[in-house]
């Protein structure tokens, strides 16, 4: 399309033709736009789309199309106010004022019946009615309706209960109060207030509507102030239905103080850990924790010793604390917290800083001083005891741990046991948690139970040097990871030799039984350090005698070649060469052997009888060394018989005074006292 300046002649047609073409094109464009609205309305069949079609048609001056569309919307819902008012507007624009009043008054009635007298739409309808009466030159009616609209010229009144002007804010600004329309009658505090809103100056995103109740009460309404700083101004605006506006400005300054944190100053000493407790709150005057974002503790000398407890608000408005995994710091609602510091590697004076931070990044620090109260690991020795004997080896048993009541072992660096002698044996356990302990030497002489903290270290008094002192001192010491040590000493005496306990043997016969015990020393539990155990009896000298590991002795010795009193000697030596021995006197418990060869039973006798026999000390030997006497008796005749060194008896006894059947009894006795052993043999003789 070509345009021209006023006063020039058009080169391609008259001015009227150009205007006609423009109007024709415009109408086509309008037809296209309205066709889209019509299509949408028909397809949806919804009243709101027909109302939109009517509004668009009226805007383009298509009043007939608009009237048709508004009537269609009303046919779908007779109480639909928007098309009813819009129909009045169409008739007003077409200057059909009576028809317009019909629809305006109809809308007025619906609003009154619905209790919407205070709505903005009601006042719009009243304004339209006043204008229509004015066009009809009914000025009384026009004035009546107009005065209804303009009678309220006073702005609403805003009365804040919080926050106070020139007060302070932290992460949240809370607003509460009352809004009143000054034109209303007493008791109707809302009056004709239409909107109540707020805005933080310079922060357009921090704005919004404030809901209020029928009595004008509003709040609490919270404003997120975490992005604010310094001095801020909040503008609260209220508008009534007649457009009267009032504003209230509140000036607030940022509260730059951090949360209130309190920790008693009663943590004077530490050992392997220290637990610190305290309280947390928004401030001294506000015991809630809504402003607390986190609590952090740290050891000034060791930045790795630190933990942070983060607070968060849940959906129901309650605050919860989230510690890191495996953290010691804990929160106990409503205001308590505590944490435990692992001080195993710390020494000397230490400073612990606790920091509380609010949601605006303001912090409060508190510093606590603790001093080193470590005394070294705890050692308890169960054996040996002071004054006990030492032998070729000494086994030290006991427990080692952090402290007497602290059964942990994380602070213990090593434990060493040593013989307090030049070049004496020693053993060391090194703790490398979380790895298993290591031993030096690692030859089985050292053990450690990681569950009970029990140790056993066996030291030698013969290697690498031989110790034969009358007194031996054992030194046991443990060191923690900060160099603090604990030492125990045990004084032992040289062993007096093995302990022998032998039950007294009974008189011997062909054997003698030996029972009892042999121990490494007096009070020892076994015979681990016994080197030799021997016996001597008769011609047998220092022959081995068997015993078990516990030291029990149960032996039977052959004595069939012995006779008379004998001495039994038992000797025990330990690994150090110490000797212990016991001796017993044994008596013979065997009757002599007596064998008569003549006479025999039922032999006859005359004036005499010849006796031939043999006698021995006991049946197992040849000899009469233990024979004291051999006697005979027959009737009233008695006497002794002689025998040679081989025990042969050959003797005739006179029986002239005897007659009839007689019993000959021969008795052999040995030298055992006080009651000798004896053997007796009898035969029957006939005259």
């Amino acid at each position: 399309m070509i345009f021209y300046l006023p006063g020039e002649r058009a080169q391609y047609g008259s001015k009227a033709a150009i205007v006609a073409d423009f109007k024709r094109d415009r109408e086509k464009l309008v037809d296209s736009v309205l066709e889209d609205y019509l299509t949408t309305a028909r397809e949806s069949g919804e009243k709101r789309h027909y109302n939109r079609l009517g509004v668009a048609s009226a805007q383009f001056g298509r009043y007939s199309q608009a009237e048709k569309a508004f009537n269609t919307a009303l046919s779908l819902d007779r109480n639909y106010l928007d098309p009813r008012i819009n129909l009045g507007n169409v008739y007003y624009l077409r200057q059909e004022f009576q028809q317009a009043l019909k629809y305006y008054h109809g809308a007025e009635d619906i609003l009154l019946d619905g209790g919407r007298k205070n709505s903005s739409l009601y006042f719009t309808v009243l304004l339209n009615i006043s204008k229509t009466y004015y066009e009809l030159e009914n000025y009384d009616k026009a004035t009546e309706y107009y005065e209804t609209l303009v009678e309220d010229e006073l702005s609403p009144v805003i009365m804040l209960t919080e926050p106070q002007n020139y007060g302070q804010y932290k992460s949240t600004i809370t607003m509460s109060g009352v809004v009143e329309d000054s034109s209303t009658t007493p008791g109707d505090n809302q009056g004709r207030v239409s909107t109540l809103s707020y805005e933080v100056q310079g922060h357009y995103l921090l704005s919004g509507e404030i809901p209020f109740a029928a009595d004008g009460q509003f709040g609490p309404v919270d404003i997120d102030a975490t992005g604010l700083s310094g001095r801020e101004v909040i503008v609260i605006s209220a508008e009534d239905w007649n457009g009267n506006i009032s504003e209230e400005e509140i000036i607030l300054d940022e509260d730059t103080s951090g949360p209130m944190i309190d920790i008693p100053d009663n943590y004077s000493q530490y050992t392997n850990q220290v637990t610190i407790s305290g309280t947390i709150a928004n401030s001294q005057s506000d015991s809630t924790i809504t402003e607390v974002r986190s609590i952090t503790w740290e050891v000034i000398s060791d930045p790795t010793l630190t933990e942070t407890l983060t607070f968060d608000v849940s959906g129901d408005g309650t605050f919860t604390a989230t510690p890191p995994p495996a953290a010691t710091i804990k929160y106990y609602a409503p205001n308590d917290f505590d944490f435990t510091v692992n001080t195993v590697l710390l020494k000397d004076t230490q400073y612990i800083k606790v920091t509380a931070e609010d949601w605006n990044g303001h912090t409060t620090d508190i510093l606590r001083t603790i001093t080193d109260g470590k005394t070294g690991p705890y050692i308890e020795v169960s054996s040996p005891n002071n004054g006990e004997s030492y032998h070729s080896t000494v086994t030290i048993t006991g427990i080692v741990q952090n402290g007497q009541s602290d059964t942990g072992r994380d602070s213990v660096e090593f434990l060493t046991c040593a013989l307090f002698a030049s070049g004496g044996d020693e053993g060391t356990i090194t703790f490398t948690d979380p790895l298993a302990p290591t031993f030096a030497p690692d030859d089985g002489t050292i053990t450690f139970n990681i569950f009970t903290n029990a140790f056993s270290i066996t030291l030698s008094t013969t290697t690498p040097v031989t110790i034969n002192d009358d007194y031996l001192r054992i030194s046991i010491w443990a060191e923690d990871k900060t160099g603090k040590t604990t030492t125990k000493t045990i004084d032992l005496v040289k062993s007096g030799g093995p302990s022998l306990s032998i039950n007294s043997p009974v008189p011997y016969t062909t054997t003698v039984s030996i029972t009892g015990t042999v121990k490494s020393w007096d009070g020892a539990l076994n015979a681990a350090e016994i080197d030799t155990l021997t016996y001597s009896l008769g011609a047998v000298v220092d022959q081995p005698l068997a015993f078990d590991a516990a030291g029990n002795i149960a032996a039977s010795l052959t004595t069939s070649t012995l006779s008379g009193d004998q001495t039994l000697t038992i000797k025990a030596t330990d690994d150090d060469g110490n000797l212990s021995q016991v001796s017993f006197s044994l008596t013979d418990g065997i009757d002599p052997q007596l064998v008569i060869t003549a006479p025999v039973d039922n032999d006859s006798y005359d004036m005499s009888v010849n006796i031939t026999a043999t006698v021995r000390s006991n049946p197992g030997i040849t000899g009469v060394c233990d024979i004291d006497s051999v006697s005979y008796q027959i009737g009233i005749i008695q006497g002794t018989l002689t025998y040679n060194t081989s025990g042969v008896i050959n003797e005739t006894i006179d029986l002239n005074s005897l007659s009839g059947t007689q019993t000959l009894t021969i008795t052999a006795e040995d030298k055992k006292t006080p009651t000798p052993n004896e053997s007796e043999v009898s035969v029957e003789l006939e005259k």
Side-chain angles (χ1 to χ4, degrees):
M1 180 179 292
I2 304 296
F3 294 90
Y4 59 94
L5 295 174
E8 294 183 340
R9 186 176 68 183
Q11 298 180 11
Y12 300 103
S14 66
K15 179 179 179 180
I18 293 174
V19 171
D21 287 343
F22 174 77
K23 288 182 177 180
R24 197 164 41 249
D25 291 342
R26 177 180 175 277
E27 290 302 314
K28 289 181 180 179
L29 180 60
V30 170
D31 289 341
S32 176
V33 172
L34 294 180
E35 183 64 30
D36 289 341
Y37 276 98
L38 179 60
T39 300
T40 300
R42 285 174 175 171
E43 289 179 353
S44 68
E46 296 182 7
K47 60 184 181 181
R48 60 190 180 90
H49 289 137
Y50 280 104
N51 185 60
R52 289 176 183 173
L53 172 60
V55 171
S57 299
Q59 288 173 340
F60 289 118
R62 304 282 184 87
Y63 298 131
S64 296
Q65 288 179 253
E67 180 182 5
K68 182 179 180 181
F70 290 140
N71 278 320
T72 302
L74 275 176
S75 68
L76 295 174
D77 184 357
R78 301 307 298 175
N79 291 321
Y80 192 11
L81 286 174
D82 289 352
R84 186 177 296 277
I85 297 171
N86 288 335
L87 273 171
N89 293 339
V90 168
Y91 290 125
Y92 180 89
L93 292 173
R94 288 164 57 174
Q95 298 185 1
E96 298 177 23
F97 298 118
Q98 290 294 345
Q99 193 70 3
L101 281 175
K102 172 186 173 183
Y103 283 96
Y104 287 150
H105 281 304
E108 179 188 14
D109 293 339
I110 292 174
L111 288 168
L112 288 174
D113 292 342
R116 299 175 63 185
K117 184 178 180 180
N118 291 325
S119 67
S120 60
L121 188 58
Y122 178 72
F123 291 105
T124 299
V125 170
L126 295 186
L127 180 61
N128 289 347
I129 293 174
S130 177
K131 290 168 61 178
T132 304
Y133 277 122
Y134 184 84
E135 293 296 335
L136 290 171
E137 298 181 358
N138 188 341
Y139 301 121
D140 290 339
K141 280 289 188 180
T143 300
E144 177 187 344
Y145 275 90
Y146 182 74
E147 287 179 349
T148 303
L149 293 171
V150 299
E151 66 181 0
D152 180 12
E153 296 179 350
L154 298 176
S155 301
V157 177
I158 304 169
M159 294 170 286
L160 283 173
T161 56
E162 62 174 338
Q164 300 297 316
N165 203 19
Y166 292 102
Q168 290 185 317
Y169 68 88
K170 290 185 79 67
S171 65
T172 302
I173 300 173
T174 301
M175 298 182 298
S176 298
V178 179
V179 59
E180 297 179 354
D181 186 357
S182 58
S183 66
T184 60
T185 59
D188 184 8
N189 293 328
Q190 183 182 14
R192 292 170 179 164
V193 177
S194 60
T195 60
L196 183 65
S197 62
Y198 74 91
E199 180 179 346
V200 181
Q201 285 187 352
H203 306 275
Y204 70 93
L205 293 178
L206 293 179
S207 61
E209 297 289 328
I210 301 176
F212 54 93
D215 60 358
Q217 299 284 339
F218 65 88
V221 175
D222 291 334
I223 302 174
D224 183 3
T226 54
L228 303 180
S229 62
R231 174 164 287 186
E232 299 288 356
V233 178
I234 303 174
V235 179
I236 302 175
S237 301
E239 182 178 358
D240 64 16
W241 294 119
N242 289 319
N244 300 308
I245 298 175
S246 61
E247 291 184 346
E248 186 78 21
E249 284 190 356
I250 300 296
I251 299 174
L252 299 176
D253 291 311
E254 182 181 12
D255 183 352
T256 58
S257 64
M260 189 283 295
I261 187 169
D262 182 46
I263 297 176
D265 191 10
N266 59 354
Y267 303 98
S268 57
Q269 283 191 330
Y270 67 88
T271 53
N272 297 319
Q273 65 179 30
V274 60
T275 297
I276 296 177
S277 59
T279 57
I280 184 73
N282 290 346
S283 65
Q284 289 284 359
S285 59
D286 182 1
S287 63
T288 66
I289 61 165
T290 55
E291 297 292 341
V292 182
R293 183 178 185 179
S294 64
I295 303 173
T296 298
W297 67 266
E298 64 175 316
V299 177
I300 300 299
S301 66
D302 187 351
T304 63
L305 292 176
T306 181
E307 289 178 344
T308 296
L309 183 69
T310 303
F311 290 84
D312 199 0
V313 62
S314 59
D316 60 1
T318 59
F319 279 78
T320 57
T322 307
T328 67
I329 188 167
K330 298 290 189 297
Y331 165 71
Y332 311 95
N335 298 103
D336 297 326
F337 70 91
D338 62 33
F339 58 88
T340 300
V341 183
N342 185 337
T343 56
V344 166
L345 299 179
L346 300 182
K347 59 182 179 180
D348 303 326
T349 299
Q350 296 292 331
Y351 302 94
I352 299 175
K353 183 174 75 171
V354 183
T355 302
E357 182 181 6
D358 66 18
W359 291 98
N360 282 359
H362 304 130
T363 59
T364 301
D365 293 335
I366 192 168
L367 201 65
R368 288 292 175 260
T369 303
I370 55 176
T371 57
D372 192 349
K374 296 177 181 177
T375 58
Y378 174 74
I379 304 173
E380 181 180 301
V381 178
S382 54
S383 69
N385 297 314
N386 273 314
E388 290 185 358
S389 300
Y390 74 88
H391 308 278
S392 61
T393 60
V394 179
T395 298
I396 304 98
T397 62
I399 60 172
V400 60
Q401 56 195 36
N402 291 342
Q404 186 169 4
S405 59
D406 182 0
T407 58
R409 204 182 56 257
D410 53 332
S411 70
V412 184
E413 182 76 15
F414 67 82
L415 171 76
T416 295
C417 294
L419 299 183
F420 198 67
S422 178
D425 196 12
E426 71 175 38
T428 299
I429 305 173
T430 302
F431 300 97
T432 54
D433 291 338
L435 302 176
T438 58
F439 307 135
D442 191 8
D443 58 1
T445 59
I446 304 175
T447 62
F448 187 81
N449 188 316
I450 61 174
F451 301 106
T452 63
N453 296 331
F455 67 86
S456 174
I457 299 178
T458 299
L459 305 179
S460 172
T461 61
T462 59
T463 57
V465 297
T466 298
I467 301 173
N468 200 28
D469 300 336
D470 290 338
Y471 299 97
L472 174 64
R473 172 163 290 181
I474 302 172
S475 180
I476 305 115
W477 72 92
E479 183 174 308
D480 68 15
K481 290 181 170 60
T482 64
K484 295 290 179 66
T485 60
T486 302
T487 302
K488 298 279 188 180
T489 58
I490 299 172
D491 293 320
L492 304 179
V493 296
K494 186 177 179 181
S495 171
S499 171
L500 275 173
S501 177
I502 305 298
N503 299 318
S504 296
V506 297
Y508 70 89
T509 56
T510 57
T511 61
V512 62
S513 294
I514 302 176
T515 59
T517 60
V518 59
K519 303 291 184 178
S520 297
W521 62 89
D522 188 15
L525 299 178
N526 53 48
E529 295 193 17
I530 296 300
D531 184 31
T532 63
L533 181 67
T534 62
Y535 75 93
S536 297
L537 180 61
V540 176
V541 178
D542 293 335
Q543 290 298 303
L545 193 60
F547 59 96
D548 62 20
N552 295 311
I553 304 170
S556 179
L557 308 181
T558 299
T559 57
S560 58
T561 60
L562 301 179
S563 63
D565 292 337
Q566 299 289 334
T567 298
L568 171 65
T569 300
I570 300 176
K571 300 178 182 178
T573 60
D574 61 17
D575 294 337
D576 293 328
N578 298 306
L579 171 66
S580 295
Q581 70 179 36
V582 292
S583 295
F584 300 92
S585 294
L586 302 185
T587 57
D588 189 355
I590 306 175
D591 295 336
Q593 184 185 47
L594 178 62
V595 179
I596 299 176
T597 56
V600 298
D601 276 339
N602 300 317
D603 276 355
S604 61
Y605 69 92
D606 192 8
M607 300 299 290
S608 64
V609 63
N610 183 251
I611 300 173
T612 59
T614 57
V615 63
R616 296 177 180 176
S617 294
N618 66 56
I621 63 173
T622 300
V624 291
C625 62
D626 197 35
I627 297 299
D628 182 50
S629 65
V630 179
S631 62
Y632 72 91
Q633 181 173 353
I634 181 170
I636 60 173
I637 300 172
Q638 59 182 10
T640 59
L641 298 175
T642 59
Y643 51 88
N644 62 21
T645 57
S646 297
V648 175
I649 301 171
N650 188 355
E651 190 169 342
T652 300
I653 59 176
D654 183 10
L655 302 180
N656 187 47
S657 61
L658 299 179
S659 63
T661 301
Q662 297 291 331
T663 299
L664 172 64
T665 301
I666 300 175
T667 302
E669 293 184 352
D670 62 16
K671 297 176 182 179
K672 179 183 175 184
T673 59
T675 304
N677 300 306
E678 65 178 22
S679 296
E680 186 178 271
V681 179
S682 296
V683 295
E684 294 292 328
L685 300 179
E686 299 292 338
K687 182 69 174 179

